[in-house]
Amino acid sequence: MFPKILLLHFVDEELEDDPVKLKQFVMSKLEDIPNEMKSVVEKTQLDAILLSPLKYRRPWELLWGNISKGNVCVAGDALHPMTPELGQGGCAALEDGVVLARCIAEALLKPGGEETNGKIVDEEEEYRRIEIGLKIFAQKRRWRSIDLISTAYMVGYIQQNNGTIINFLRDNFLSRFLPGMLLRKGDFDCGKLKY
Ligand SMILES: Cc1cc2nc3c(=O)[nH]c(=O)nc-3n(C[C@H](O)[C@H](O)[C@H](O)COP(=O)(O)OP(=O)(O)OC[C@H]3O[C@@H](n4cnc5c(N)ncnc54)[C@H](O)[C@@H]3O)c2cc1C
């Protein structure tokens, strides 16, 4: 079976529509890696090379942007698209899923007073409760999302920087702390599903 290559980084526009040049571009980045890995890329067929733009949301957009509106919300990559340095996009999407399910369940199952007797009886009430559940979801995920997006960006900036000062700081100082910091970002308890 031939592998697929997914390029996520920004490349020159002239490369975008030319798979031959794209493949050459990938090969040019593989100088120092083992031959076995190079041969995987060499054997990749041209139509299996995919180019996808790297999306990133500025953290401050999450400060004042809407995460939910009415009975609709964003979650996963739609909420916190981030650069790939942390490898946490999928994990954070799962966290969103757990928190979202809990918030909706809590909103829908809470006692509704005498007239509803704990059950949802009309659409309007259901809409209102979902809206509240989504607002709570947004509150709970806002800062976690900002934290992940900002950290991923900073780590990428430091790792890929070619400036003398950042290089010096990275190699002599930050390299001691960065790996631990990255691992700690994944160590997040989003709680359990109660229902
Ligand atoms: C190469 C690569 C490596 C990665 N490695 C890791 C890793 O090691 N660890 C990690 O945690 N994360 C990793 N990620 C990130 C992770 O894959 C994503 O963060 C995660 O998949 C986001 O999940 P999501 O459900 O939000 O979005 P997606 O997985 O993108 O799901 C969105 C779905 O919506 C569908 N869709 C889109 N538009 C419409 C529409 N109009 N109507 C109906 N359906 C639609 C899409 O087809 C897709 O199935 C990696 C990503 C890539 C690309």
PDB file of all heavy atoms in Angstrom, residues 167-190:
ATOM      1  N   ASN A 167      17.383  31.527  19.076  1.00  0.00           N
ATOM      2  CA  ASN A 167      18.143  30.267  18.980  1.00  0.00           C
ATOM      3  C   ASN A 167      18.985  30.032  20.222  1.00  0.00           C
ATOM      4  O   ASN A 167      19.039  28.925  20.765  1.00  0.00           O
ATOM      5  CB  ASN A 167      19.084  30.299  17.768  1.00  0.00           C
ATOM      6  CG  ASN A 167      18.383  29.771  16.536  1.00  0.00           C
ATOM      7  OD1 ASN A 167      17.196  29.455  16.605  1.00  0.00           O
ATOM      8  ND2 ASN A 167      19.086  29.692  15.439  1.00  0.00           N
ATOM      9  N   PHE A 168      19.650  31.102  20.677  1.00  0.00           N
ATOM     10  CA  PHE A 168      20.501  30.977  21.868  1.00  0.00           C
ATOM     11  C   PHE A 168      19.647  30.607  23.085  1.00  0.00           C
ATOM     12  O   PHE A 168      19.963  29.684  23.830  1.00  0.00           O
ATOM     13  CB  PHE A 168      21.254  32.294  22.120  1.00  0.00           C
ATOM     14  CG  PHE A 168      22.045  32.272  23.396  1.00  0.00           C
ATOM     15  CD1 PHE A 168      23.297  31.666  23.439  1.00  0.00           C
ATOM     16  CD2 PHE A 168      21.527  32.836  24.558  1.00  0.00           C
ATOM     17  CE1 PHE A 168      24.015  31.615  24.629  1.00  0.00           C
ATOM     18  CE2 PHE A 168      22.243  32.795  25.744  1.00  0.00           C
ATOM     19  CZ  PHE A 168      23.495  32.191  25.786  1.00  0.00           C
ATOM     20  N   LEU A 169      18.531  31.349  23.260  1.00  0.00           N
ATOM     21  CA  LEU A 169      17.662  31.076  24.418  1.00  0.00           C
ATOM     22  C   LEU A 169      17.096  29.654  24.344  1.00  0.00           C
ATOM     23  O   LEU A 169      17.023  28.938  25.345  1.00  0.00           O
ATOM     24  CB  LEU A 169      16.505  32.081  24.456  1.00  0.00           C
ATOM     25  CG  LEU A 169      16.878  33.506  24.856  1.00  0.00           C
ATOM     26  CD1 LEU A 169      15.679  34.424  24.682  1.00  0.00           C
ATOM     27  CD2 LEU A 169      17.386  33.545  26.295  1.00  0.00           C
ATOM     28  N   ARG A 170      16.670  29.266  23.129  1.00  0.00           N
ATOM     29  CA  ARG A 170      16.062  27.938  22.968  1.00  0.00           C
ATOM     30  C   ARG A 170      17.079  26.839  23.316  1.00  0.00           C
ATOM     31  O   ARG A 170      16.784  25.935  24.088  1.00  0.00           O
ATOM     32  CB  ARG A 170      15.595  27.759  21.518  1.00  0.00           C
ATOM     33  CG  ARG A 170      14.949  26.405  21.247  1.00  0.00           C
ATOM     34  CD  ARG A 170      14.649  26.242  19.773  1.00  0.00           C
ATOM     35  NE  ARG A 170      15.868  26.274  18.987  1.00  0.00           N
ATOM     36  CZ  ARG A 170      15.956  26.783  17.764  1.00  0.00           C
ATOM     37  NH1 ARG A 170      14.912  27.292  17.183  1.00  0.00           N
ATOM     38  NH2 ARG A 170      17.109  26.766  17.118  1.00  0.00           N
ATOM     39  N   ASP A 171      18.288  26.943  22.746  1.00  0.00           N
ATOM     40  CA  ASP A 171      19.248  25.851  22.912  1.00  0.00           C
ATOM     41  C   ASP A 171      19.856  25.814  24.310  1.00  0.00           C
ATOM     42  O   ASP A 171      20.239  24.752  24.795  1.00  0.00           O
ATOM     43  CB  ASP A 171      20.368  25.975  21.861  1.00  0.00           C
ATOM     44  CG  ASP A 171      19.794  25.829  20.450  1.00  0.00           C
ATOM     45  OD1 ASP A 171      18.643  25.343  20.352  1.00  0.00           O
ATOM     46  OD2 ASP A 171      20.459  26.214  19.485  1.00  0.00           O
ATOM     47  N   ASN A 172      19.969  26.984  24.965  1.00  0.00           N
ATOM     48  CA  ASN A 172      20.660  26.997  26.256  1.00  0.00           C
ATOM     49  C   ASN A 172      19.753  27.074  27.458  1.00  0.00           C
ATOM     50  O   ASN A 172      20.194  26.820  28.578  1.00  0.00           O
ATOM     51  CB  ASN A 172      21.640  28.177  26.306  1.00  0.00           C
ATOM     52  CG  ASN A 172      22.732  28.005  25.293  1.00  0.00           C
ATOM     53  OD1 ASN A 172      23.594  27.170  25.445  1.00  0.00           O
ATOM     54  ND2 ASN A 172      22.655  28.777  24.222  1.00  0.00           N
ATOM     55  N   PHE A 173      18.522  27.460  27.242  1.00  0.00           N
ATOM     56  CA  PHE A 173      17.661  27.692  28.402  1.00  0.00           C
ATOM     57  C   PHE A 173      16.303  27.009  28.246  1.00  0.00           C
ATOM     58  O   PHE A 173      15.933  26.117  29.013  1.00  0.00           O
ATOM     59  CB  PHE A 173      17.513  29.213  28.589  1.00  0.00           C
ATOM     60  CG  PHE A 173      16.674  29.607  29.747  1.00  0.00           C
ATOM     61  CD1 PHE A 173      17.102  29.392  31.052  1.00  0.00           C
ATOM     62  CD2 PHE A 173      15.441  30.207  29.544  1.00  0.00           C
ATOM     63  CE1 PHE A 173      16.312  29.759  32.126  1.00  0.00           C
ATOM     64  CE2 PHE A 173      14.644  30.580  30.610  1.00  0.00           C
ATOM     65  CZ  PHE A 173      15.093  30.343  31.905  1.00  0.00           C
ATOM     66  N   LEU A 174      15.584  27.395  27.184  1.00  0.00           N
ATOM     67  CA  LEU A 174      14.209  26.913  27.026  1.00  0.00           C
ATOM     68  C   LEU A 174      14.127  25.405  26.791  1.00  0.00           C
ATOM     69  O   LEU A 174      13.135  24.771  27.150  1.00  0.00           O
ATOM     70  CB  LEU A 174      13.525  27.645  25.858  1.00  0.00           C
ATOM     71  CG  LEU A 174      13.336  29.147  26.062  1.00  0.00           C
ATOM     72  CD1 LEU A 174      12.871  29.817  24.784  1.00  0.00           C
ATOM     73  CD2 LEU A 174      12.312  29.395  27.175  1.00  0.00           C
ATOM     74  N   SER A 175      15.168  24.840  26.178  1.00  0.00           N
ATOM     75  CA  SER A 175      15.112  23.401  25.867  1.00  0.00           C
ATOM     76  C   SER A 175      14.945  22.563  27.131  1.00  0.00           C
ATOM     77  O   SER A 175      14.451  21.446  27.083  1.00  0.00           O
ATOM     78  CB  SER A 175      16.371  22.965  25.118  1.00  0.00           C
ATOM     79  OG  SER A 175      17.500  23.295  25.879  1.00  0.00           O
ATOM     80  N   ARG A 176      15.323  23.121  28.281  1.00  0.00           N
ATOM     81  CA  ARG A 176      15.151  22.380  29.548  1.00  0.00           C
ATOM     82  C   ARG A 176      13.691  22.353  29.984  1.00  0.00           C
ATOM     83  O   ARG A 176      13.250  21.455  30.665  1.00  0.00           O
ATOM     84  CB  ARG A 176      15.976  23.036  30.653  1.00  0.00           C
ATOM     85  CG  ARG A 176      17.425  22.605  30.616  1.00  0.00           C
ATOM     86  CD  ARG A 176      18.192  23.304  31.707  1.00  0.00           C
ATOM     87  NE  ARG A 176      19.201  24.164  31.091  1.00  0.00           N
ATOM     88  CZ  ARG A 176      19.822  25.146  31.701  1.00  0.00           C
ATOM     89  NH1 ARG A 176      19.528  25.441  32.938  1.00  0.00           N
ATOM     90  NH2 ARG A 176      20.733  25.841  31.081  1.00  0.00           N
ATOM     91  N   PHE A 177      12.950  23.372  29.610  1.00  0.00           N
ATOM     92  CA  PHE A 177      11.574  23.486  30.118  1.00  0.00           C
ATOM     93  C   PHE A 177      10.497  23.101  29.099  1.00  0.00           C
ATOM     94  O   PHE A 177       9.431  22.654  29.466  1.00  0.00           O
ATOM     95  CB  PHE A 177      11.301  24.936  30.559  1.00  0.00           C
ATOM     96  CG  PHE A 177      12.270  25.411  31.590  1.00  0.00           C
ATOM     97  CD1 PHE A 177      13.276  26.289  31.247  1.00  0.00           C
ATOM     98  CD2 PHE A 177      12.192  24.952  32.906  1.00  0.00           C
ATOM     99  CE1 PHE A 177      14.192  26.716  32.201  1.00  0.00           C
ATOM    100  CE2 PHE A 177      13.092  25.380  33.853  1.00  0.00           C
ATOM    101  CZ  PHE A 177      14.103  26.269  33.509  1.00  0.00           C
ATOM    102  N   LEU A 178      10.829  23.321  27.808  1.00  0.00           N
ATOM    103  CA  LEU A 178       9.778  23.143  26.793  1.00  0.00           C
ATOM    104  C   LEU A 178       9.166  21.738  26.775  1.00  0.00           C
ATOM    105  O   LEU A 178       7.942  21.608  26.773  1.00  0.00           O
ATOM    106  CB  LEU A 178      10.320  23.496  25.405  1.00  0.00           C
ATOM    107  CG  LEU A 178      10.227  24.967  25.012  1.00  0.00           C
ATOM    108  CD1 LEU A 178      10.792  25.180  23.612  1.00  0.00           C
ATOM    109  CD2 LEU A 178       8.800  25.474  25.067  1.00  0.00           C
ATOM    110  N   PRO A 179       9.993  20.660  26.776  1.00  0.00           N
ATOM    111  CA  PRO A 179       9.374  19.327  26.687  1.00  0.00           C
ATOM    112  C   PRO A 179       8.386  19.068  27.827  1.00  0.00           C
ATOM    113  O   PRO A 179       7.291  18.565  27.606  1.00  0.00           O
ATOM    114  CB  PRO A 179      10.568  18.366  26.752  1.00  0.00           C
ATOM    115  CG  PRO A 179      11.730  19.201  26.322  1.00  0.00           C
ATOM    116  CD  PRO A 179      11.453  20.579  26.792  1.00  0.00           C
ATOM    117  N   GLY A 180       8.769  19.465  29.058  1.00  0.00           N
ATOM    118  CA  GLY A 180       7.880  19.258  30.208  1.00  0.00           C
ATOM    119  C   GLY A 180       6.602  20.067  30.060  1.00  0.00           C
ATOM    120  O   GLY A 180       5.505  19.595  30.348  1.00  0.00           O
ATOM    121  N   MET A 181       6.764  21.289  29.553  1.00  0.00           N
ATOM    122  CA  MET A 181       5.608  22.163  29.383  1.00  0.00           C
ATOM    123  C   MET A 181       4.632  21.561  28.369  1.00  0.00           C
ATOM    124  O   MET A 181       3.419  21.540  28.571  1.00  0.00           O
ATOM    125  CB  MET A 181       6.085  23.524  28.904  1.00  0.00           C
ATOM    126  CG  MET A 181       5.051  24.601  28.976  1.00  0.00           C
ATOM    127  SD  MET A 181       5.820  26.161  28.585  1.00  0.00           S
ATOM    128  CE  MET A 181       5.188  26.455  26.976  1.00  0.00           C
ATOM    129  N   LEU A 182       5.190  21.007  27.294  1.00  0.00           N
ATOM    130  CA  LEU A 182       4.342  20.403  26.262  1.00  0.00           C
ATOM    131  C   LEU A 182       3.561  19.229  26.832  1.00  0.00           C
ATOM    132  O   LEU A 182       2.365  19.070  26.589  1.00  0.00           O
ATOM    133  CB  LEU A 182       5.185  19.902  25.086  1.00  0.00           C
ATOM    134  CG  LEU A 182       5.965  20.946  24.307  1.00  0.00           C
ATOM    135  CD1 LEU A 182       6.469  20.379  22.995  1.00  0.00           C
ATOM    136  CD2 LEU A 182       5.103  22.153  24.030  1.00  0.00           C
ATOM    137  N   LEU A 183       4.263  18.397  27.604  1.00  0.00           N
ATOM    138  CA  LEU A 183       3.585  17.220  28.160  1.00  0.00           C
ATOM    139  C   LEU A 183       2.483  17.631  29.133  1.00  0.00           C
ATOM    140  O   LEU A 183       1.412  17.038  29.166  1.00  0.00           O
ATOM    141  CB  LEU A 183       4.597  16.319  28.880  1.00  0.00           C
ATOM    142  CG  LEU A 183       5.505  15.518  27.950  1.00  0.00           C
ATOM    143  CD1 LEU A 183       6.556  14.755  28.742  1.00  0.00           C
ATOM    144  CD2 LEU A 183       4.685  14.554  27.095  1.00  0.00           C
ATOM    145  N   ARG A 184       2.773  18.676  29.916  1.00  0.00           N
ATOM    146  CA  ARG A 184       1.763  19.109  30.907  1.00  0.00           C
ATOM    147  C   ARG A 184       0.485  19.632  30.225  1.00  0.00           C
ATOM    148  O   ARG A 184      -0.595  19.519  30.779  1.00  0.00           O
ATOM    149  CB  ARG A 184       2.352  20.184  31.821  1.00  0.00           C
ATOM    150  CG  ARG A 184       3.117  19.587  33.010  1.00  0.00           C
ATOM    151  CD  ARG A 184       3.335  20.617  34.083  1.00  0.00           C
ATOM    152  NE  ARG A 184       4.130  21.736  33.615  1.00  0.00           N
ATOM    153  CZ  ARG A 184       5.452  21.752  33.502  1.00  0.00           C
ATOM    154  NH1 ARG A 184       6.136  20.682  33.861  1.00  0.00           N
ATOM    155  NH2 ARG A 184       6.097  22.803  33.062  1.00  0.00           N
ATOM    156  N   LYS A 185       0.622  20.177  29.034  1.00  0.00           N
ATOM    157  CA  LYS A 185      -0.562  20.706  28.343  1.00  0.00           C
ATOM    158  C   LYS A 185      -1.560  19.590  28.028  1.00  0.00           C
ATOM    159  O   LYS A 185      -2.755  19.815  27.928  1.00  0.00           O
ATOM    160  CB  LYS A 185      -0.182  21.410  27.040  1.00  0.00           C
ATOM    161  CG  LYS A 185       0.470  22.725  27.234  1.00  0.00           C
ATOM    162  CD  LYS A 185      -0.459  23.736  27.870  1.00  0.00           C
ATOM    163  CE  LYS A 185       0.328  24.828  28.541  1.00  0.00           C
ATOM    164  NZ  LYS A 185      -0.417  25.655  29.437  1.00  0.00           N
ATOM    165  N   GLY A 186      -1.034  18.393  27.825  1.00  0.00           N
ATOM    166  CA  GLY A 186      -1.937  17.275  27.525  1.00  0.00           C
ATOM    167  C   GLY A 186      -2.538  16.670  28.778  1.00  0.00           C
ATOM    168  O   GLY A 186      -3.498  15.885  28.715  1.00  0.00           O
ATOM    169  N   ASP A 187      -1.976  17.008  29.925  1.00  0.00           N
ATOM    170  CA  ASP A 187      -2.434  16.413  31.187  1.00  0.00           C
ATOM    171  C   ASP A 187      -3.575  17.255  31.744  1.00  0.00           C
ATOM    172  O   ASP A 187      -3.397  18.032  32.671  1.00  0.00           O
ATOM    173  CB  ASP A 187      -1.238  16.377  32.165  1.00  0.00           C
ATOM    174  CG  ASP A 187      -1.592  15.601  33.413  1.00  0.00           C
ATOM    175  OD1 ASP A 187      -2.639  14.928  33.409  1.00  0.00           O
ATOM    176  OD2 ASP A 187      -0.828  15.685  34.389  1.00  0.00           O
ATOM    177  N   PHE A 188      -4.726  17.114  31.141  1.00  0.00           N
ATOM    178  CA  PHE A 188      -5.864  17.962  31.516  1.00  0.00           C
ATOM    179  C   PHE A 188      -7.060  17.079  31.852  1.00  0.00           C
ATOM    180  O   PHE A 188      -7.395  16.167  31.099  1.00  0.00           O
ATOM    181  CB  PHE A 188      -6.215  18.887  30.345  1.00  0.00           C
ATOM    182  CG  PHE A 188      -7.368  19.803  30.627  1.00  0.00           C
ATOM    183  CD1 PHE A 188      -7.183  20.970  31.344  1.00  0.00           C
ATOM    184  CD2 PHE A 188      -8.644  19.493  30.189  1.00  0.00           C
ATOM    185  CE1 PHE A 188      -8.248  21.823  31.598  1.00  0.00           C
ATOM    186  CE2 PHE A 188      -9.712  20.335  30.446  1.00  0.00           C
ATOM    187  CZ  PHE A 188      -9.506  21.503  31.161  1.00  0.00           C
ATOM    188  N   ASP A 189      -7.669  17.349  32.982  1.00  0.00           N
ATOM    189  CA  ASP A 189      -8.826  16.551  33.393  1.00  0.00           C
ATOM    190  C   ASP A 189     -10.110  17.316  33.054  1.00  0.00           C
ATOM    191  O   ASP A 189     -10.411  18.331  33.675  1.00  0.00           O
ATOM    192  CB  ASP A 189      -8.743  16.289  34.903  1.00  0.00           C
ATOM    193  CG  ASP A 189      -9.862  15.372  35.368  1.00  0.00           C
ATOM    194  OD1 ASP A 189     -10.692  14.966  34.527  1.00  0.00           O
ATOM    195  OD2 ASP A 189      -9.896  15.066  36.573  1.00  0.00           O
ATOM    196  N   CYS A 190     -10.819  16.821  32.071  1.00  0.00           N
ATOM    197  CA  CYS A 190     -12.059  17.524  31.672  1.00  0.00           C
ATOM    198  C   CYS A 190     -13.263  16.945  32.419  1.00  0.00           C
ATOM    199  O   CYS A 190     -14.404  17.288  32.126  1.00  0.00           O
ATOM    200  CB  CYS A 190     -12.272  17.443  30.168  1.00  0.00           C
ATOM    201  SG  CYS A 190     -12.494  15.778  29.554  1.00  0.00           S
TER     202      CYS A 190
END
